[in-house]
Amino acid sequence: MISVQTGDFDTGAEYAALRASGSGTGAIATFTGLVRDSGDLSGVTGLFLEHYPGMTEAVIQGLIDEASRRWDVRDARVIHRVGRLALSDQIVFVGVCSAHRGDAFAACSFIMDALKTSAPFWKKEMTSDGEHWVEQKASDRERTQAWSSD
């Protein structure tokens, strides 16, 4: 399940959906990202996110497909919010279930790392001094690149 949405999400409901994936599921790994008060600059008061509709979902599906080729993925769920977000708002959820914890952890980490560099999202930070578009970080590119050697 993939959703790009403005509204919040319920991590408990997402976990329950993964847990219902079948009796072969032995592990669930999840990641939930939140809006924090620092990023490129300090004093962040909120974010604004845009995306490329249709292409964003296709890229995310490709990441899930790649994770499923590499690891035993029974089910995966990715939710990413767009629009205006306040401090501490949930921004992204990635959940993966598998028969074993190693596959669930690896697939969840891979999807989140690749999501940061591959999916067409644009993030603007709001601060007390104004707003600015966030550039992709070298550390995010390095984390994504590290998966290509696996």
Side-chain angles (χ1 to χ4, degrees):
M1 192 280 299
I2 298 165
S3 181
V4 178
Q5 61 192 50
T6 57
D8 200 7
F9 51 87
D10 179 346
T11 57
E14 298 307 321
Y15 177 87
L18 289 165
R19 190 167 179 199
S21 65
S23 60
T25 293
I28 298 172
T30 68
F31 172 83
T32 305
L34 307 175
V35 178
R36 64 180 184 270
D37 66 356
S38 63
D40 281 1
L41 303 174
S42 59
V44 172
T45 59
L47 297 177
F48 181 78
L49 283 100
E50 293 182 353
H51 77 295
Y52 191 123
M55 183 181 285
T56 304
E57 294 85 352
V59 168
I60 295 170
Q61 185 61 59
L63 298 176
I64 293 170
D65 293 346
E66 176 63 21
S68 297
R69 283 190 289 277
R70 297 172 76 164
W71 300 282
D72 171 31
V73 174
R74 303 293 170 100
D75 194 11
R77 302 177 80 75
V78 176
I79 301 170
H80 205 299
R81 294 182 64 196
V82 293
R84 189 168 297 276
L85 299 170
L87 294 179
S88 298
D89 279 355
Q90 298 181 126
I91 187 171
V92 62
F93 175 88
V94 176
V96 175
C97 62
S98 178
H100 303 284
R101 73 178 182 273
D103 285 348
F105 279 131
C108 186
S109 292
F110 166 79
I111 292 168
M112 187 61 229
D113 287 345
L115 185 64
K116 295 277 291 182
T117 58
S118 302
F121 288 103
W122 297 275
K123 179 169 61 172
K124 186 189 301 184
E125 290 180 341
M126 269 64 97
T127 70
S128 55
D129 295 328
E131 30 185 73
H132 76 281
W133 290 103
V134 175
E135 297 289 327
Q136 194 177 83
K137 292 176 179 43
S139 59
D140 289 333
R141 289 190 301 273
E142 290 165 7
R143 288 185 63 87
T144 301
Q145 184 63 32
W147 289 106
S148 67
S149 61
D150 287 353

